[in-house]
Amino acid sequence: MTFTPNGKAIFNETIASGYPVLCRTVIYDDSETIDLDNVPLEGGILVKALVLSVDPYFRGLMAEKTDVPGFVLGEPLIGYGIGLVLRSSSPAWIAGDNVYGMLPHQHYAVLPSSNLASLRKITKLSHLSWAAYLGAAGMPGLTAYSGWKEYALRDGVIASAGSDDKVDFVKRIGADVAFNYKTEDMDKVLSEHGPIDVYWDNVGGKALEIALTHANLGARFIECGMVSVYNSEPYGVKNVHLLYTKHITLYGFTVMILGEKYLDEFLAEIPPQLASGELQHMEDLTYGLDKVGDAILAVQKGDNRGKAVVVVAEE
Amino acid sequence: MTFTPNGKAIFNETIASGYPVLCRTVIYDDSETIDLDNVPLEGGILVKALVLSVDPYFRGLMAEKTDVPGFVLGEPLIGYGIGLVLRSSSPAWIAGDNVYGMLPHQHYAVLPSSNLASLRKITKLSHLSWAAYLGAAGMPGLTAYSGWKEYALRDGVIASAGSDDKVDFVKRIGADVAFNYKTEDMDKVLSEHGPIDVYWDNVGGKALEIALTHANLGARFIECGMVSVYNSEPYGVKNVHLLYTKHITLYGFTVMILGEKYLDEFLAEIPPQLASGELQHMEDLTYGLDKVGDAILAVQKGDNRGKAVVVVAEE
């Protein structure tokens, strides 16, 4: 029997308010080992983590009071990831398969048979990285794709982002107008370039309030996330009465529900376009499972430049 | 030439905050007269006001800062009303017709030819009052009808109202659960009887926040009005993030846009059901054009018991 070190990123402490705290909210624990050849599978599969996604929504799962079931204290974080199947006792999987789905933040894990239905077998296109399959070709890409297909039409595009780098990127890929919502006067930008017919909201808070002010009659707001309020006190949106005065619809959606409808279409269309370069994307890679806490904090502060992915192992 | 007194309810002062003020916000002016036989019509019609509607949305048109064009200072209020055509110079109308549409709060008015397209000829069912045509068979009824048809399905009904009388009424006509949102603990009621799949919002503010807390996954909120905030400081809704965590849609709508789609269906279906008693409704009648200001304040405070209508004249 050979015992291999099996480090994991553990959820160590809930957050009462503010940002995650390094070395407290999440800690790296390398005290355990695993016998890769003999660990019992009981219908499940043994998976080696390759890349793990770090996403803004993590913050909600770390709060003292969560709206949905949060991370479990003392257990590894769980999130979208891609792994390599080392051994299988399920007829649906064989060693060498690549698996996409919810993986624990741990080098090696046995995924029980009850979890296998939610996992997807994945074949990498040669010009696309594994990280891309957690970003533009993964859950965040499917979020954008399904929300856009379901709710939006577009003509001109006004884009906002939380750093000048990101603003430059969205300008380069074709936004008609782009601005930094943290440093520029959004009200002024929209006075000049608005009104808005479609608003894709990942920021929430004050920005949402300003966007409602500049909404056109019959506007559609796609409510996908609100990163501006994850680490601060709740922001009270004071002009929701504009919903009826302007006949506005707010479509709150989660890819967990909507994504299924567009999944096949998305997989057929988007990864090849990313591989060919027709669609552009950015990745922000962090190397090492022990750096998950750093990656989480960077995402909450908006310091990442592109989709944040933790590279755990080369295949 | 005979000159007939032609009193009018004039918008006299905008409201900075709080409730309308009697004898200041709206004043009754009886200084003018009109020559009913000889006033020039120039393609328009001369109308005698019979009943005028007083609605919660009036408050928005009286504010210092309005989202839509407000009432004009020094001019009569304008709102839904029913009148009798006394003389006509339009081929579409004859003396004796009854007209439904936007009427000035004035005993007699010449409606210019440019306004006639927005007016509707109306024939009263014998068992229905003119006031009913401003309530359940008029704009408020069409609001409920079109919003419900467009956005809602229902199973059980939890109703809330702002007075015990109104609560009794909605219980009597079949609500499964009914409560007074001003005096009872809404959070507790919804904890017991929720979650909510469809929320019809005419209250806004804190009640909306509580409703979002008790919304089911995939709930639909029909945003029709927010009377709780018309006369107070704007209320900041702090849990709009629940829109995406619960996949909730907020449909803001105004009958000015949606009503057209359902108007024919509504007119064919609802007035006969009201006349036969199959549908029940309540009217709160105020007699005299000089009492418009009182009726407006009562509606804002929720003191009315049923649809507020000012009866100006018997036919």
Side-chain angles (χ1 to χ4, degrees), chain A:
Chain A
M1 291 208 286
T2 315
F3 292 95
T4 305
N6 190 15
K8 52 192 175 184
I10 284 185
F11 182 45
N12 183 60
E13 197 177 279
T14 58
I15 306 171
S17 69
Y19 285 101
V21 181
L22 288 178
C23 305
R24 274 181 47 189
T25 311
V26 174
I27 57 170
Y28 183 69
D29 172 5
D30 60 0
S31 63
E32 288 186 12
T33 60
I34 186 169
D35 179 354
L36 296 175
D37 296 325
N38 299 301
V39 61
L41 303 184
E42 294 167 350
I45 58 178
L46 174 63
V47 171
K48 175 185 179 183
L50 300 179
V51 285
L52 296 169
S53 183
V54 169
D55 293 289
Y57 77 83
F58 276 24
R59 178 62 180 80
L61 307 188
M62 295 174 156
E64 252 178 20
K65 239 183 95 179
T66 63
D67 298 311
V68 290
F71 292 130
V72 179
L73 280 170
E75 295 290 321
L77 303 177
I78 297 181
Y80 288 95
I82 290 166
L84 173 68
V85 177
L86 298 184
R87 287 169 49 216
S88 169
S89 65
S90 154
W93 297 87
I94 58 167
D97 279 348
N98 284 111
V99 54
Y100 171 92
M102 285 296 179
L103 300 185
H105 281 212
Q106 189 165 18
H107 281 285
Y108 303 98
V110 174
L111 305 181
S113 59
S114 57
N115 280 19
L116 300 187
S118 67
L119 302 174
R120 191 150 48 77
K121 205 167 293 189
I122 189 171
T123 308
K124 196 169 84 63
L125 294 176
S126 55
H127 291 292
L128 217 49
S129 67
W130 278 131
Y133 282 91
L134 294 183
M139 179 277 289
L142 179 60
T143 302
Y145 188 90
S146 58
W148 200 256
K149 289 267 173 176
E150 184 81 1
Y151 307 117
L153 289 169
R154 73 167 183 81
D155 188 8
V157 171
I158 304 172
S160 86
S163 75
D164 291 346
D165 279 343
K166 293 172 187 170
V167 169
D168 288 344
F169 178 70
V170 292
K171 269 186 189 157
R172 206 163 67 239
I173 59 173
D176 300 294
V177 176
F179 66 98
N180 183 331
Y181 72 85
K182 291 185 178 171
T183 59
E184 293 181 61
D185 183 344
M186 179 167 169
D187 188 55
K188 203 177 142 206
V189 172
L190 294 183
S191 295
E192 188 175 346
H193 300 285
I196 301 167
D197 293 301
V198 175
Y199 184 68
W200 185 290
D201 191 5
N202 277 327
V203 175
K206 180 72 182 169
L208 172 57
E209 207 168 77
I210 296 170
L212 283 169
T213 304
H214 292 279
N216 210 350
L217 202 69
R220 330 180 108 209
F221 278 49
I222 307 169
E223 295 301 326
C224 180
M226 302 193 173
V227 74
S228 74
V229 297
Y230 294 169
N231 299 280
S232 58
E233 291 303 300
Y235 183 88
V237 178
K238 289 181 287 294
N239 56 0
V240 280
H241 66 282
L242 294 177
L243 293 187
Y244 52 86
T245 57
K246 295 189 188 180
H247 205 84
I248 297 168
T249 306
L250 261 62
Y251 297 98
F253 90 100
T254 163
V255 70
M256 306 296 282
I257 292 178
L258 188 65
E260 191 63 26
K261 179 174 173 183
Y262 292 98
L263 183 62
D264 292 343
E265 190 179 324
F266 169 76
L267 291 175
E269 205 174 303
I270 300 303
Q273 291 182 11
L274 288 163
S276 73
E278 189 183 339
L279 285 182
Q280 290 181 50
H281 67 296
M282 294 209 299
E283 294 164 4
D284 188 320
L285 305 181
T286 301
Y287 291 87
L289 186 54
D290 56 320
K291 297 293 192 301
V292 166
D294 304 69
I296 288 173
L297 183 58
V299 165
Q300 293 302 321
K301 295 199 157 175
D303 292 341
N304 58 314
R305 301 179 175 192
K307 175 67 188 88
V309 170
V310 173
V311 180
V312 181
E314 305 295 330
E315 195 151 353

Side-chain angles (χ1 to χ4, degrees), chain B residues 203-225:
Chain B
V203 175
K206 180 72 182 168
L208 172 56
E209 208 167 76
I210 295 170
L212 283 168
T213 303
H214 291 280
N216 209 350
L217 201 68
R220 330 180 109 211
F221 278 50
I222 307 169
E223 294 302 326
C224 181

Side-chain angles (χ1 to χ4, degrees), chain B residues 154 157 159 165-178 274 277-282:
Chain B
R154 73 168 183 81
V157 171
D165 278 343
K166 293 173 187 170
V167 168
D168 288 343
F169 178 69
V170 293
K171 269 186 189 158
R172 205 163 65 238
I173 59 174
D176 300 293
V177 176
L274 288 163
E278 188 184 339
L279 285 182
Q280 291 180 51
H281 67 295
M282 293 210 302

Side-chain angles (χ1 to χ4, degrees), chain B residues 283-299:
Chain B
E283 293 164 6
D284 188 320
L285 305 181
T286 300
Y287 292 87
L289 187 54
D290 55 321
K291 297 293 192 301
V292 166
D294 303 70
I296 289 173
L297 182 59
V299 165

Side-chain angles (χ1 to χ4, degrees), chain B residues 251-309:
Chain B
Y251 296 98
F253 90 99
T254 163
V255 70
M256 305 297 281
I257 292 179
L258 188 66
E260 190 62 27
K261 178 174 172 183
Y262 292 98
L263 182 61
D264 293 343
E265 192 180 322
F266 169 77
L267 291 176
E269 205 174 302
I270 300 304
Q273 291 183 12
L274 288 163
S276 75
E278 188 184 339
L279 285 182
Q280 291 180 51
H281 67 295
M282 293 210 302
E283 293 164 6
D284 188 320
L285 305 181
T286 300
Y287 292 87
L289 187 54
D290 55 321
K291 297 293 192 301
V292 166
D294 303 70
I296 289 173
L297 182 59
V299 165
Q300 293 302 322
K301 294 200 159 175
D303 292 340
N304 58 314
R305 301 179 175 193
K307 175 67 189 85
V309 170

